[in-house]
Amino acid sequence: MSASTFRFAPSPNGRLHLGHAYSALLNDRLARAAGGRLLLRIEDIDPGRSRPDLVDAVLADLAWLGLRFAAPMHQSARMAAYRATLDSLAARDLVYPCFCSRSEVAAAARRAAGDGPVLRDPDGAPLYPGPCRHLSADAVAARLARGEPHTWRLAMDRALAAPPGPLGFSTFDPEGATGFVAADPARWGDTVIARRDVPASYHLAVVTDDAAQGITHVVRGADLLAATDLHVLLQALLGLTHPRYHHHALLLDATGAKLAKSRGSRSLADLRAEGVAAAAVRARLGFG
Ligand code: GLU
């Protein structure tokens, strides 16, 4: 295995846009500069949003940009690994099943807030105030035996008490500067670590797979900076090594908003259809 291993990890729930292209090309440049390798991971755990035709489109868009990869890892094929990770956390009582619906969570968070504002995690989801945190072991066993749908939540207080020492992560940037950022995972509260339909959330899957792929360097958008606090906590709980991180600035559109298909940002496929050359896209992004 080479010393430095990077990854590009798109979610195939839409066509790639210039922001994805920037992230992929930056990973490629930094992996080359480090004499390392760049792996591709298709983050398709979401059965409702990931489509096989979009996976093919992602690969085609990357090839058009000049990026070719060895066989990618597909998260949809990794459910047994996620189950094992989840089971190991459950065996240590660091997670608990939550039977609340989304609206029950919202209502409980409003009640907990009283006259004040609802407390939210960095993604804007309400911090979970219970009630499933306090279910008795017998009640949990009975509801699981009945097959009641449930997510799994991290028991944040117990999780924070488990790993040794303060948490944080090492950073690097393209200019060669390095640093260390203290992590504050408590702000995620009892976050969902496994969904109803799959034995993982993005957070659990990304940590499991970064370790399985031997990732040493994570290069991704600044929108995932806060999530890294949770990732280093999970890595510490699971005894995994911590990669180094570089969170790059997001590309913004003319209105200053983050590029997104939902806001009508043009995809790489749109640009290609308009006759824009891949070399022009690379040059526009600073990779000419
Ligand atoms: N799949 C995520 C996305 O497309 C990126 C995950 C990561 O780089 O950790 O936004």
Side-chain angles (χ1 to χ4, degrees), residues 80-97:
Y82 306 145
R83 171 68 64 194
T85 306
L86 183 61
D87 285 351
S88 78
L89 294 171
R92 293 159 62 201
D93 202 25
L94 296 173
V95 292
Y96 61 86

Side-chain angles (χ1 to χ4, degrees), residues 179-205:
F180 187 81
V181 175
D184 176 21
R187 58 188 168 143
W188 288 92
D190 287 6
T191 194
V192 172
I193 226 62
R195 303 155 36 130
R196 272 192 183 70
D197 47 354
V198 285
S201 63
Y202 158 65
H203 305 296
L204 189 85

Side-chain angles (χ1 to χ4, degrees), residues 13-275:
N13 45 32
R15 295 302 298 251
L16 298 187
H17 54 62
L18 285 172
H20 298 112
Y22 176 78
S23 205
L25 289 166
L26 184 60
N27 264 290
D28 180 57
R29 172 184 283 170
L30 295 177
R32 282 172 197 276
R37 58 185 186 149
L38 172 60
L39 306 180
L40 178 64
R41 183 166 74 229
I42 302 294
E43 301 218 315
D44 56 352
I45 56 165
D46 189 334
R49 293 180 72 207
S50 302
R51 301 202 326 248
D53 56 315
L54 286 171
V55 175
D56 292 342
V58 164
L59 298 175
D61 287 343
L62 292 171
W64 179 70
L65 280 174
L67 298 173
R68 283 184 181 73
F69 298 89
M73 172 181 275
H74 289 258
Q75 290 193 325
S76 55
R78 300 265 305 146
M79 295 302 157
Y82 306 145
R83 171 68 64 194
T85 306
L86 183 61
D87 285 351
S88 78
L89 294 171
R92 293 159 62 201
D93 202 25
L94 296 173
V95 292
Y96 61 86
C98 177
F99 303 92
C100 294
S101 66
R102 206 177 273 262
S103 59
E104 284 167 339
V105 173
R110 268 198 308 278
R111 275 197 307 277
D115 294 335
V118 168
L119 301 177
R120 296 182 182 278
D121 73 19
D123 278 351
L127 289 187
Y128 185 66
C132 291
R133 186 192 288 157
H134 306 297
L135 292 178
S136 70
D138 286 350
V140 168
R143 294 178 77 163
L144 291 177
R146 277 201 299 273
E148 271 190 49
H150 57 278
T151 59
W152 287 88
R153 290 184 180 276
L154 192 62
M156 184 55 84
D157 52 352
R158 296 198 290 274
L160 287 173
L167 290 166
F169 54 93
S170 299
T171 62
F172 67 103
D173 77 11
E175 284 71 47
T178 57
F180 187 81
V181 175
D184 176 21
R187 58 188 168 143
W188 288 92
D190 287 6
T191 194
V192 172
I193 226 62
R195 303 155 36 130
R196 272 192 183 70
D197 47 354
V198 285
S201 63
Y202 158 65
H203 305 296
L204 189 85
V206 84
V207 164
T208 303
D209 291 342
D210 281 343
Q213 291 188 294
I215 302 303
T216 58
H217 291 73
V218 171
V219 175
R220 60 186 178 192
D223 52 341
L224 291 170
L225 179 59
T228 308
D229 291 7
L230 202 49
H231 299 175
V232 293
L233 172 60
L234 290 171
Q235 287 155 1
L237 293 173
L238 295 163
L240 306 174
T241 53
H242 302 292
R244 293 184 161 271
Y245 290 88
H246 172 58
H247 293 93
H248 60 76
L250 297 177
L251 256 58
L252 304 178
D253 68 16
T255 69
K258 181 181 150 185
L259 294 182
K261 193 73 195 154
S262 55
R263 271 187 291 274
S265 305
R266 279 181 309 166
S267 67
L268 297 180
D270 294 336
L271 294 170
R272 187 161 68 223
E274 287 164 24

